[in-house]
Amino acid sequence: MKNRINGFYWVVTGLMAAFMLMASIPDVLRLPQAIEIFGHLGYPAYLLPFLGTAKILGVFAVLMPGFDRLKEWAYAGLVFDVTGALYSHLSVGDPVSVWGFAVIALVLVGGSYVVGRLRTQERSIIHADLAAA
């Protein structure tokens, strides 16, 4: 069971990391398409590099071994970012073909967090069993 949860965690987390990193690159580079989308949502373009960099740092924090408290904050930041994107797209009346990506990202971030917690709990149980033996 341990190997299955661990494997599933890395698959979901790898997909989440790739998805979030690919979404952050246009922001950091301030590509015209990213500026256009941000303008359509009513946000200033100067926020793009900040949000893109925050996403990159959040992904790195999630992938780093240890630092459990930092991971919690990183997951929270990623959820805030993606939830804000979803809300913004819904608020301006964008179709599902636009805001669907935010839903996918939210599912991936949430899935990575939940499976990561299961993985951590399982490791704690195994360590407790070893300590008791």
Side-chain angles (χ1 to χ4, degrees):
M1 182 74 163
K2 177 187 169 198
N3 287 336
R4 285 183 19 187
I5 289 177
N6 198 36
F8 189 61
Y9 168 77
W10 283 111
V11 168
V12 173
T13 301
L15 289 171
M16 180 275 298
F19 196 89
M20 294 304 288
L21 287 174
M22 288 190 322
S24 68
I25 291 170
D27 297 350
V28 171
L29 297 177
R30 298 185 66 179
L31 295 181
Q33 184 181 9
I35 292 172
E36 181 183 332
I37 291 169
F38 240 50
H40 166 70
L41 296 173
Y43 297 116
Y46 65 78
L47 282 177
L48 281 168
F50 171 76
L51 290 175
T53 303
K55 281 187 254 190
I56 291 169
L57 292 173
V59 168
F60 285 150
V62 167
L63 295 176
M64 251 189 323
F67 301 101
D68 291 340
R69 183 150 312 179
L70 181 62
K71 280 183 201 287
E72 293 282 333
W73 281 97
Y75 277 118
L78 293 172
V79 167
F80 294 151
D81 175 72
V82 176
T83 303
L86 177 60
Y87 179 80
S88 296
H89 285 294
L90 290 172
S91 294
V92 297
D94 283 340
V96 69
S97 61
V98 175
W99 57 260
F101 291 104
V103 172
I104 292 168
L106 198 54
V107 167
L108 288 172
V109 172
S112 173
Y113 176 77
V114 169
V115 177
R117 294 289 296 190
L118 290 172
R119 180 174 165 245
T120 302
Q121 286 176 351
E122 186 173 280
R123 272 193 282 177
S124 297
I125 291 168
I126 289 171
H127 290 305
D129 287 347
L130 290 175

